Amino acid sequence: MGTIAEARSGPARDGWGPDAEPAGLERELTEAVLAGAARSDVLRALARATGRQVRLLSAEGAVLATTDGGAGMSATVADSVLAGVAGPVVDTLDGLCATALPVRAGTTVGGVLLTVGPGDPRVQALAGAAVTALLIDAVRAGDGSAEVSPQHKPADVVAALRSGTVSPSVCAAATRLGIDLERPPAGAVLHYSGSRLRAWSTALTWLEHPVQQEARTAWTVVPGEAVLARLRSRLRLMTGDESAGDHVVAASGSHPDSTVGLARSFTEAERLLGLARTRRVPLLTFGRCGVVQVLLPLPPAELEAYAEAHLGPIRQRPELMATLRAWLAERGSRQSVSEQLHLHRNSVGYRVRQIKNLLGTDPLLPAASAQLHLALAALDLLAADHQRLRGDGDPVSAGH
């Protein structure tokens, strides 16, 4: 997919800045999208021109793409914006004010465009310059995909389920897609790290499941682990990466009992995907993540506090941390740890004595072992969250 710079016929620029004019911006964005640029490119260009963070929402207020990873708005407010009743200044679900603009032309609805911050006529004019480009992208994205309703494509339905902004029309659209919200499936997310991005995007369109895609990451719903494993296998085959390592990683959250729970399931899936990538495992589900289940509802600050309380004296000693992990995993077998870490048995014994002295406990005692396993898992989850939020490789939750 081309970028704005790649799609320009003239010399590439550094991007539109604060002196951008709406007419020129509209012309350039429209030409760029016609040349193959993606909506994420449009949002980034608009963010540079306005100096504001930008979000594109579905007709139900769910996030489709953002420059800041922020939240959407309620379905009621989104409906009002599209109907021309509400706006231009609205409140988002994460407590910010934003200028809202309907992205629609006749019966074609591309969603709601938000520029975060107080109302400003110039910002509103610049945002209006992006509407045509976003409408072209919306029509292009709909080619070859099922039209669930005039305003609800499969990707929109998944986006609404992810955000928890589920209206009656979304429920009806979900039913047409075979999603039973009376017995909700689990939220699932897949990530592609290979080089065949075009093949990845094409493969996603051939899945029998509704999918929301943002670059290398895709969200869907699955009834169980077996289905997710099949989806991952098919994507590996269709991208031509089935024998080239684990370029497709998948994760799923818990099985919810409501649409609110389904939104939480998607959040769990995203965190587990980060953990799977950190641990280099191809598939990780809520049912198979062990003690991590207990940690998933906790915010990073609480994870950090728990890890520090139980591992603080050795956290800055990587050799002791590695020894502790191996010692717990091998249940105190000095020989196994020696072979795993390529250390002399006496060196293993010396390190274990240091660990016992610094932590003030024997790691193999049942209570201590449970606490340390949980603390190490908390550190793994923190590392995965950090990687995900920092956007290493590609943000897992760029649109959520």
Side-chain angles (χ1 to χ4, degrees):
M1 189 68 70
T3 64
I4 296 293
E6 291 168 345
R8 293 179 179 131
S9 56
R13 308 178 194 174
D14 291 334
W16 287 94
D19 59 342
E21 294 299 326
L25 182 63
E26 180 174 16
R27 181 175 60 254
E28 181 149 345
L29 293 180
T30 301
E31 290 175 354
V33 169
L34 288 172
R39 67 186 177 196
S40 56
D41 297 313
V42 175
L43 296 191
R44 283 193 291 270
L46 181 57
R48 290 194 295 271
T50 61
R52 303 276 187 90
Q53 298 295 341
V54 183
R55 306 174 186 180
L56 179 64
L57 313 182
S58 73
E60 295 299 323
V63 173
L64 298 176
T66 78
T67 59
D68 66 346
M73 61 170 60
S74 72
T76 301
V77 176
D79 285 341
S80 298
V81 171
L82 289 170
V85 177
V89 179
V90 298
D91 292 327
T92 65
L93 292 176
D94 51 355
L96 302 178
C97 69
T99 299
L101 194 67
V103 180
R104 69 177 306 164
T107 59
T108 301
V109 178
V112 177
L113 180 63
L114 297 183
T115 49
V116 179
D120 183 303
R122 174 173 170 74
V123 169
Q124 192 172 358
L126 289 170
V131 168
T132 300
L134 291 172
L135 282 170
I136 293 171
D137 178 80
V139 172
R140 180 175 61 195
D143 290 343
S145 64
E147 286 285 346
V148 179
S149 73
Q151 294 187 6
H152 300 309
K153 297 181 178 66
D156 297 334
V157 173
V158 175
L161 296 177
R162 285 179 58 210
S163 65
T165 53
V166 181
S167 66
S169 59
V170 167
C171 291
T175 299
R176 295 188 188 100
L177 290 170
I179 303 172
D180 183 2
L181 293 181
E182 293 295 322
R183 294 178 296 177
V189 59
L190 302 106
H191 183 85
Y192 178 66
S193 59
S195 59
R196 305 187 65 200
L197 290 178
R198 188 180 296 275
W200 163 250
S201 296
T202 301
L204 290 171
T205 66
W206 284 94
L207 296 179
E208 67 275 15
H209 289 246
V211 171
Q212 180 195 6
Q213 180 195 3
E214 277 293 329
R216 294 179 177 274
T217 305
W219 294 263
T220 187
V221 291
V222 294
E225 180 180 338
V227 173
L228 183 60
R230 284 198 298 272
L231 286 179
R232 177 182 170 274
S233 179
R234 285 187 60 191
L235 288 169
R236 291 183 70 211
L237 179 65
M238 296 169 75
T239 55
D241 291 319
E242 69 275 11
S243 60
D246 293 321
H247 289 315
V248 180
V249 179
S252 60
S254 59
H255 284 275
D257 56 8
S258 67
T259 54
V260 173
L262 180 52
R264 183 176 62 251
S265 179
F266 273 111
T267 300
E268 292 167 350
E270 291 173 0
R271 297 189 79 184
L272 288 175
L273 180 75
L275 189 59
R277 294 178 64 193
T278 298
R279 293 181 173 179
R280 300 184 183 277
V281 296
L283 181 68
L284 188 60
T285 65
F286 184 86
R288 294 183 179 272
C289 67
V291 295
V292 175
Q293 285 187 6
V294 179
L295 302 173
L296 283 175
L298 301 180
E302 292 188 24
L303 294 176
E304 173 66 33
Y306 189 86
E308 183 64 25
H310 296 285
L311 294 169
I314 66 170
R315 280 186 67 181
Q316 305 308 316
R317 300 281 300 275
E319 77 284 3
L320 296 186
M321 290 291 290
T323 303
L324 176 62
R325 286 182 182 274
W327 188 251
L328 290 173
E330 300 300 332
R331 299 181 181 180
S333 170
R334 188 180 297 194
Q335 182 62 36
S336 296
V337 174
S338 172
E339 293 172 357
Q340 182 177 325
L341 299 183
H342 306 291
L343 292 171
H344 191 278
R345 284 168 52 88
N346 291 342
S347 297
V348 172
Y350 175 70
R351 288 188 182 183
V352 170
R353 286 193 297 274
Q354 282 188 297
I355 291 170
K356 290 179 179 179
N357 290 334
L358 290 170
L359 296 184
T361 186
D362 182 346
L364 296 184
L365 291 174
S369 178
Q371 290 173 338
L372 293 173
H373 272 294
L374 203 58
L376 289 170
L379 285 182
D380 289 343
L381 195 55
L382 281 169
D385 284 345
H386 180 65
Q387 182 186 61
R388 175 170 62 93
L389 296 173
R390 189 176 57 192
D392 289 7
D394 181 68
V396 170
S397 189
H400 184 45

